[in-house]
Structures are given as structure tokens and as C-alpha cells.
Amino acid sequence: MLYPQSNACRQMADLSGFWEFRFDPDEVGTGQGWGGGFDPAEVIAVPASWNDQFAEWRDYTGVAWYQTTFDLPWGWRGQRIFVRFNAVSYLAEVWLNGERLGEHEGGHLPFGFDITERVKDAGNVLVVRVDGKLAPDRVPPGELKGRAGAAFPTVNYPDTTYDFFPFRGIERPVLIYTEPQAAIADVTVVTEIDGTSGVVRVQIACDVDAALTARATLHGHGFSGSAEEAVEGGAAALTVTVPDAALWSPDAPSLYDLRVELRRDGAVVDCYALPVGIRTIAVEGDRLLLNGEPVKLLGFGRHEDFPVVGKGLLPALIVKDYALMDWMGANSFRTSHYPYSEQMLDMADRLGFMVIDETPAVGLFFFPEGLEKRDRLCQQMIREMIDRDKNHPSVIMWSVANEPHTATLEAREAYNRDFTVIEHASRPEAVASFKAMADLAHELDPTRPVTLISHEGALEEAFAFVDVVGLNRYFGWYTQSGQIDLGLDYLDREIELIHTLYPKPLILSEFGTDTIPGHHAQPPEMFSEEYQAEFLTKQIKLTETKPFVIGQHIWNLCDFKTGQAVHRMGGYNYKGIFTRDRRPKLAAHRVRALWRGEDGS
């Protein structure tokens, strides 16, 4: 789904700002016709989560309504006109001028509607009903209280199966935009390396097929070249070869400017521009290769999370987080546990950060009720994520899920005793679900590796279907509590066991400790800054002895909001090496020295 642009052929306007708003805890709005317009009770900022904008509504995850009005900009008539929502959590139903446009389930990914025949020149009323309820068949799931083994890790409030706050609302910009009658519907860019040359393959999809010619022009780094082909069957495939190409990498995030045009009788009828990074990514044995050379991922899990705005898009925060990661010596991160904003990925392209792009499928359980619907949703989200992010050179890997609860209780009990792996350790429903997800990701994009991030260790049979093993592990924290060296021994043994069973590259995709800012102890003890610093230092040094461990992603870059639970003081996860307002803890300095080779070891 191409991001809207303003250029010689297209126009775009942002509807962000102050919208009218109303909570609907009794769900009376639909019956009372609020889709045609309603009397507002509040004013709300868009984009931003609703939870911190109002007193007394922080934990509300029910139904609420948004409303705004707009006039059609001058000169838009004669073009096709669309509305695009970049992210609404969780289920959105949309009306324009009292006419229902449709709905979309799932936060964090865009959706839109053609409003050409419905939009007026002035006084348009756009209404959105947002259903934020938690439910077992939603992605991610919630409200599993009372199900055996279903709480994570204890009962949270709100009742989620994941360890971050379930912010709700319109959390990224809402756009209206135009496309010409003969338009570029999609662009797919795949790059290859041939000796010192870069090969840029551009696939263009069109929604009409009437005497059109497609043209792709590439500029940058002293190069200018183009290719042209006739549109046939609504598509055109073009190739531009770049001699002595400047390759994209973290050390040199070189980008070329690609301009794609549709022409009729020599006249441009549509155009679209995007940056292109020439690079390859592949798995070879137990190595991850970027441009044919082994690469190691140093970085973080992180969250779109900040006071007041919740998960709302905040451009200054994007700049700040990249500055912190760069200061640390990091080169990568995972979009834990949902696709981040397109603006975040645009910056990764420009700054040279490698990104593991992850779906919202976090904390899945495999009870039979609702499983078929949830599997459809997970596959829908894989399609939407790849469709949205496939052209970003920074995106080097797809993650289909985080911490699914796949193991049987019997298998987990045996494993926790002495790392015994019994036959058929994973639930058959989970194995089938993840095989289908991994197969789909490989089919949609054969150019990138696929991973699954698991906390089940060697019990995770879905590791058989992915290219890279992702392991979340907290030995020395949740288990072997207070005993860093004992936890280190467990981690050493488990990593070796997993690699024996699944000889693939492995990323230690989460490891860390909750750390209260300013709490100190000597000798180090849990929750102190010294404990976090020693824990991370020793685990990083262990991974350095394992050639097949190709990534270390600390959990977390910054402290973040969670639901309330007995293990979450103040409703926060304190595993950040920076505070929620981005101040460093002791561990930030220690890890920086390790990653930058300044620790003296």
C-alpha cells in the first residue's frame, strides 16, 4: 500500500489535529445513528492514544467515537479521492457523510477507502467508531482470565496476554489524497548485486491497461539511468543496472532516488517517487549475510510509547530514539511487537539501521475457540505488513510472532527440570498455524529471511519453518533470580541445545532486568542499576563466544507503560537502559563501551 504523496500528479492532505470525541461504554452509538454525526462530549488530539488524554479513562479499552469535518481542497475534482488511516487500534468502522465506508480489524497497519463518489466540496463529516475491546480471538489476544496457563505472567489489568499497555485510538495520521484516473497502484522494488554493479528490478502494478507505458528513472551517487516498458495485463517489469553501485549498509546507508511514471502518448499521467537502497540479505549456514558479508545485529527491542501520546506518532521522539541508539553503537532493532510507523522505517533507511519487522501476533494461545478466525487475522497482518514495508532497504527480516504459548504443559514441565525435550513438545494447532504463517511470508517475499521470536526455547517446533531462530530469555531474572552466574550457565546450555536441534543463525532477541532508576546496591542486587549493568555485560560477552549467535537485542531501549500487576511497580516495565523520558541508566554506559569496543577487554 503506497504511502500518499503530493507531486505533479497526486495531492495529499493531513487531517491530524483536534477531533470531536465521545466514549461509548454502553455501546449505544450505532443504534442511535452516531455514524451520521454525533454531539461530542470531548475534544481529542489525533494522532494519539486516548488513554492518557482524559482523567479517569486510562484503562478503558471499550468503544469510542471520533468525528471531524473537512472541505475538499481546491483542484481535486476530476481525480479519484481516498481516505487513509495509518493505524487505528483496534477495530475501526468508518462513515463519511452518514454513509458507511467499511471497517478494518487490527491496529498498527494502514487501511483506506475510495470516497470519490461520496465526498462533497465542503462540510464533509468523517466519523470513526473505534472498538478497543480485548478478546481471545483478537490479535493480540486478551481477556483470558481464568483459562489455565493463560495469564502472562500473572493476571494483568487490563487483562492482556502481553507485557505492554493496550493503548487505543487513532494513533497515526489520517490522510485524504488523490490518484489520477490511470494510476500506479503498487510498486515493488527488489535489488541484487552483480559483481560491482547493482541491479534494481521494479515491478509496477496499474489499475488500468490502456495504451500505457511505464518508465523508471534512478538517480544518485553520480549515476542516472532509466528503463521503459509497455504496460501489459496491468503490470510492467523494469530493470535498471547501476555500475559501481553504492550499496546500502549501516556503515554507508546509500540511497538512490527512484521515480516511476505512467505515460500515455508521451505525456505523464501518474508518477511516484521513493528511495531505493541497493543491498542483499541472506542466510548461509548459521550466518546472516548483508551484501554477501557476515553481519551481527546489535540493538534493542523497543516500544512506540511515551507519556500522554501513548502509541501516537511523535516525530521528535523518533529522532531522539535514533540518536540514543546511534550513541550506543547499535545498528538494529526489532519492531516489538507490531509494525512501527512508516516514518520510523523511513528514518531507518536514511540512517542505516537494520530492522526486524514484526506482526502484532504477540502472546498467542492455542485454545480451539476462535482459532480459525485468529489464524486468518494473523495471515492478513502478514500480508498487510509485507505489502506496506517491502520496499524499505532497512527491513532485513520478517518476524511472524513474538512469544506464542506453543508448548504443551507436559513438555514445559520436563524442559524446566533439566532441558529434556519430549517428542511433539508443541501443540499441533500451533505447529500448523506457524507453518502456514512462515510459508506465507516466504511466498510473499522470497528475498528476506523469516523468523519467529519464542520464549519456549528448544521446545519451539516452529523453529523448523523459519530461517533465523529468535530466543527471548531471562535466566538470572524471572528464574535463577538474583543469581547472574547461574542464569548464565543455563543460557549457555540452552543456546547450545537449540543450535544442535536447529543449526541456524540465532538472535538473543530479548534479555534484560527491571531496573529502578537511581536504585543502587553493592554487591549488585535485583532492581539495582548495578545488577542490570552486570547482567547485560555478562550475557553480551557470552553471546560473543557463540559464532552462530548473530544478534543481541536488549530488552528494552526505554522503560515503558504496562498494565497493572504485582510485578509491575507503577504499571511500568523498567527493563529500559534509558528511562521512559530517555535518561540513561548505568547499563547504557556499560553497554555502549562494549558495543563500541571501549571496555578494555
mmCIF file of all heavy atoms in Angstrom, residues 523-543:
data_model
loop_
_atom_site.group_PDB
_atom_site.id
_atom_site.type_symbol
_atom_site.label_atom_id
_atom_site.label_comp_id
_atom_site.label_asym_id
_atom_site.label_seq_id
_atom_site.Cartn_x
_atom_site.Cartn_y
_atom_site.Cartn_z
ATOM 1 N N PRO A 523 27.033 -5.510 47.110
ATOM 2 C CA PRO A 523 27.086 -6.110 45.778
ATOM 3 C C PRO A 523 25.766 -5.934 45.021
ATOM 4 O O PRO A 523 24.734 -5.652 45.638
ATOM 5 C CB PRO A 523 27.376 -7.587 46.067
ATOM 6 C CG PRO A 523 26.827 -7.807 47.441
ATOM 7 C CD PRO A 523 27.071 -6.530 48.189
ATOM 8 N N PRO A 524 25.783 -6.119 43.680
ATOM 9 C CA PRO A 524 24.577 -5.911 42.886
ATOM 10 C C PRO A 524 23.428 -6.792 43.354
ATOM 11 O O PRO A 524 23.625 -7.957 43.712
ATOM 12 C CB PRO A 524 25.017 -6.294 41.467
ATOM 13 C CG PRO A 524 26.489 -6.062 41.463
ATOM 14 C CD PRO A 524 26.948 -6.443 42.839
ATOM 15 N N GLU A 525 22.242 -6.219 43.379
ATOM 16 C CA GLU A 525 21.043 -6.997 43.677
ATOM 17 C C GLU A 525 19.940 -6.596 42.717
ATOM 18 O O GLU A 525 20.007 -5.550 42.070
ATOM 19 C CB GLU A 525 20.599 -6.790 45.127
ATOM 20 C CG GLU A 525 20.145 -5.380 45.443
ATOM 21 C CD GLU A 525 19.739 -5.208 46.897
ATOM 22 O OE1 GLU A 525 19.868 -6.175 47.664
ATOM 23 O OE2 GLU A 525 19.305 -4.094 47.256
ATOM 24 N N MET A 526 18.935 -7.455 42.622
ATOM 25 C CA MET A 526 17.858 -7.237 41.659
ATOM 26 C C MET A 526 17.237 -5.852 41.823
ATOM 27 O O MET A 526 17.105 -5.350 42.931
ATOM 28 C CB MET A 526 16.801 -8.324 41.799
ATOM 29 C CG MET A 526 17.302 -9.712 41.431
ATOM 30 S SD MET A 526 16.071 -11.002 41.667
ATOM 31 C CE MET A 526 14.884 -10.602 40.373
ATOM 32 N N PHE A 527 16.893 -5.270 40.697
ATOM 33 C CA PHE A 527 16.270 -3.953 40.552
ATOM 34 C C PHE A 527 17.268 -2.807 40.686
ATOM 35 O O PHE A 527 16.897 -1.652 40.492
ATOM 36 C CB PHE A 527 15.104 -3.749 41.531
ATOM 37 C CG PHE A 527 13.938 -4.656 41.264
ATOM 38 C CD1 PHE A 527 13.769 -5.819 41.999
ATOM 39 C CD2 PHE A 527 13.016 -4.359 40.275
ATOM 40 C CE1 PHE A 527 12.705 -6.670 41.747
ATOM 41 C CE2 PHE A 527 11.944 -5.197 40.026
ATOM 42 C CZ PHE A 527 11.789 -6.363 40.757
ATOM 43 N N SER A 528 18.533 -3.095 40.988
ATOM 44 C CA SER A 528 19.526 -2.023 41.063
ATOM 45 C C SER A 528 20.158 -1.792 39.692
ATOM 46 O O SER A 528 20.180 -2.681 38.841
ATOM 47 C CB SER A 528 20.613 -2.361 42.079
ATOM 48 O OG SER A 528 21.440 -3.412 41.597
ATOM 49 N N GLU A 529 20.686 -0.590 39.502
ATOM 50 C CA GLU A 529 21.362 -0.288 38.251
ATOM 51 C C GLU A 529 22.619 -1.139 38.083
ATOM 52 O O GLU A 529 22.987 -1.500 36.962
ATOM 53 C CB GLU A 529 21.703 1.207 38.190
ATOM 54 C CG GLU A 529 20.462 2.099 38.103
ATOM 55 C CD GLU A 529 20.781 3.520 37.659
ATOM 56 O OE1 GLU A 529 21.806 3.723 36.990
ATOM 57 O OE2 GLU A 529 19.992 4.429 37.980
ATOM 58 N N GLU A 530 23.272 -1.498 39.186
ATOM 59 C CA GLU A 530 24.456 -2.347 39.114
ATOM 60 C C GLU A 530 24.111 -3.751 38.640
ATOM 61 O O GLU A 530 24.866 -4.364 37.878
ATOM 62 C CB GLU A 530 25.155 -2.397 40.474
ATOM 63 C CG GLU A 530 25.876 -1.119 40.860
ATOM 64 C CD GLU A 530 24.943 -0.016 41.357
ATOM 65 O OE1 GLU A 530 23.738 -0.303 41.577
ATOM 66 O OE2 GLU A 530 25.406 1.123 41.525
ATOM 67 N N TYR A 531 22.968 -4.274 39.087
ATOM 68 C CA TYR A 531 22.559 -5.619 38.667
ATOM 69 C C TYR A 531 22.303 -5.646 37.166
ATOM 70 O O TYR A 531 22.740 -6.555 36.454
ATOM 71 C CB TYR A 531 21.317 -6.048 39.439
ATOM 72 C CG TYR A 531 20.985 -7.524 39.293
ATOM 73 C CD1 TYR A 531 21.503 -8.456 40.186
ATOM 74 C CD2 TYR A 531 20.153 -7.984 38.282
ATOM 75 C CE1 TYR A 531 21.200 -9.811 40.081
ATOM 76 C CE2 TYR A 531 19.852 -9.337 38.156
ATOM 77 C CZ TYR A 531 20.374 -10.242 39.060
ATOM 78 O OH TYR A 531 20.086 -11.584 38.938
ATOM 79 N N GLN A 532 21.593 -4.641 36.663
ATOM 80 C CA GLN A 532 21.320 -4.578 35.228
ATOM 81 C C GLN A 532 22.615 -4.496 34.431
ATOM 82 O O GLN A 532 22.797 -5.198 33.426
ATOM 83 C CB GLN A 532 20.435 -3.382 34.906
ATOM 84 C CG GLN A 532 20.058 -3.265 33.440
ATOM 85 C CD GLN A 532 19.317 -1.975 33.116
ATOM 86 O OE1 GLN A 532 19.686 -0.898 33.600
ATOM 87 N NE2 GLN A 532 18.263 -2.078 32.317
ATOM 88 N N ALA A 533 23.538 -3.657 34.875
ATOM 89 C CA ALA A 533 24.787 -3.488 34.145
ATOM 90 C C ALA A 533 25.598 -4.775 34.121
ATOM 91 O O ALA A 533 26.144 -5.162 33.075
ATOM 92 C CB ALA A 533 25.600 -2.354 34.773
ATOM 93 N N GLU A 534 25.688 -5.467 35.257
ATOM 94 C CA GLU A 534 26.451 -6.711 35.298
ATOM 95 C C GLU A 534 25.756 -7.806 34.498
ATOM 96 O O GLU A 534 26.404 -8.564 33.767
ATOM 97 C CB GLU A 534 26.642 -7.174 36.750
ATOM 98 C CG GLU A 534 27.486 -8.437 36.874
ATOM 99 C CD GLU A 534 27.849 -8.769 38.301
ATOM 100 O OE1 GLU A 534 27.959 -7.839 39.115
ATOM 101 O OE2 GLU A 534 28.022 -9.973 38.604
ATOM 102 N N PHE A 535 24.452 -7.905 34.613
ATOM 103 C CA PHE A 535 23.668 -8.907 33.882
ATOM 104 C C PHE A 535 23.887 -8.752 32.372
ATOM 105 O O PHE A 535 24.229 -9.716 31.673
ATOM 106 C CB PHE A 535 22.191 -8.728 34.237
ATOM 107 C CG PHE A 535 21.236 -9.682 33.571
ATOM 108 C CD1 PHE A 535 20.746 -10.781 34.242
ATOM 109 C CD2 PHE A 535 20.792 -9.458 32.266
ATOM 110 C CE1 PHE A 535 19.846 -11.650 33.635
ATOM 111 C CE2 PHE A 535 19.902 -10.319 31.649
ATOM 112 C CZ PHE A 535 19.430 -11.420 32.340
ATOM 113 N N LEU A 536 23.701 -7.541 31.866
ATOM 114 C CA LEU A 536 23.833 -7.333 30.420
ATOM 115 C C LEU A 536 25.268 -7.550 29.962
ATOM 116 O O LEU A 536 25.507 -8.139 28.901
ATOM 117 C CB LEU A 536 23.360 -5.929 30.054
ATOM 118 C CG LEU A 536 21.868 -5.646 30.256
ATOM 119 C CD1 LEU A 536 21.546 -4.196 29.918
ATOM 120 C CD2 LEU A 536 21.002 -6.581 29.426
ATOM 121 N N THR A 537 26.221 -7.085 30.737
ATOM 122 C CA THR A 537 27.626 -7.257 30.355
ATOM 123 C C THR A 537 27.973 -8.732 30.207
ATOM 124 O O THR A 537 28.586 -9.149 29.208
ATOM 125 C CB THR A 537 28.544 -6.608 31.405
ATOM 126 O OG1 THR A 537 28.300 -5.201 31.434
ATOM 127 C CG2 THR A 537 30.009 -6.852 31.070
ATOM 128 N N LYS A 538 27.596 -9.543 31.177
ATOM 129 C CA LYS A 538 27.968 -10.957 31.139
ATOM 130 C C LYS A 538 27.226 -11.706 30.035
ATOM 131 O O LYS A 538 27.796 -12.589 29.379
ATOM 132 C CB LYS A 538 27.712 -11.599 32.499
ATOM 133 C CG LYS A 538 28.709 -11.136 33.565
ATOM 134 C CD LYS A 538 28.551 -11.891 34.879
ATOM 135 C CE LYS A 538 29.686 -11.533 35.840
ATOM 136 N NZ LYS A 538 29.587 -12.268 37.129
ATOM 137 N N GLN A 539 25.958 -11.363 29.802
ATOM 138 C CA GLN A 539 25.223 -12.066 28.748
ATOM 139 C C GLN A 539 25.748 -11.668 27.370
ATOM 140 O O GLN A 539 25.852 -12.507 26.467
ATOM 141 C CB GLN A 539 23.725 -11.782 28.877
ATOM 142 C CG GLN A 539 23.140 -12.339 30.163
ATOM 143 C CD GLN A 539 21.786 -12.983 30.008
ATOM 144 O OE1 GLN A 539 21.139 -12.880 28.977
ATOM 145 N NE2 GLN A 539 21.347 -13.678 31.030
ATOM 146 N N ILE A 540 26.083 -10.393 27.181
ATOM 147 C CA ILE A 540 26.659 -9.971 25.903
ATOM 148 C C ILE A 540 27.978 -10.696 25.658
ATOM 149 O O ILE A 540 28.241 -11.197 24.549
ATOM 150 C CB ILE A 540 26.849 -8.444 25.883
ATOM 151 C CG1 ILE A 540 25.490 -7.749 25.729
ATOM 152 C CG2 ILE A 540 27.787 -8.015 24.756
ATOM 153 C CD1 ILE A 540 25.535 -6.253 25.903
ATOM 154 N N LYS A 541 28.819 -10.779 26.672
ATOM 155 C CA LYS A 541 30.114 -11.440 26.495
ATOM 156 C C LYS A 541 29.947 -12.935 26.221
ATOM 157 O O LYS A 541 30.725 -13.517 25.446
ATOM 158 C CB LYS A 541 30.996 -11.207 27.720
ATOM 159 C CG LYS A 541 31.494 -9.773 27.818
ATOM 160 C CD LYS A 541 32.493 -9.578 28.946
ATOM 161 C CE LYS A 541 33.071 -8.168 28.920
ATOM 162 N NZ LYS A 541 34.085 -7.958 29.985
ATOM 163 N N LEU A 542 28.916 -13.564 26.794
ATOM 164 C CA LEU A 542 28.649 -14.970 26.475
ATOM 165 C C LEU A 542 28.283 -15.121 25.003
ATOM 166 O O LEU A 542 28.804 -16.011 24.307
ATOM 167 C CB LEU A 542 27.523 -15.512 27.356
ATOM 168 C CG LEU A 542 27.045 -16.924 26.995
ATOM 169 C CD1 LEU A 542 28.149 -17.956 27.211
ATOM 170 C CD2 LEU A 542 25.791 -17.296 27.787
ATOM 171 N N THR A 543 27.382 -14.273 24.501
ATOM 172 C CA THR A 543 26.965 -14.412 23.095
ATOM 173 C C THR A 543 28.139 -14.205 22.156
ATOM 174 O O THR A 543 28.160 -14.768 21.056
ATOM 175 C CB THR A 543 25.833 -13.433 22.746
ATOM 176 O OG1 THR A 543 26.311 -12.088 22.807
ATOM 177 C CG2 THR A 543 24.649 -13.590 23.685
#
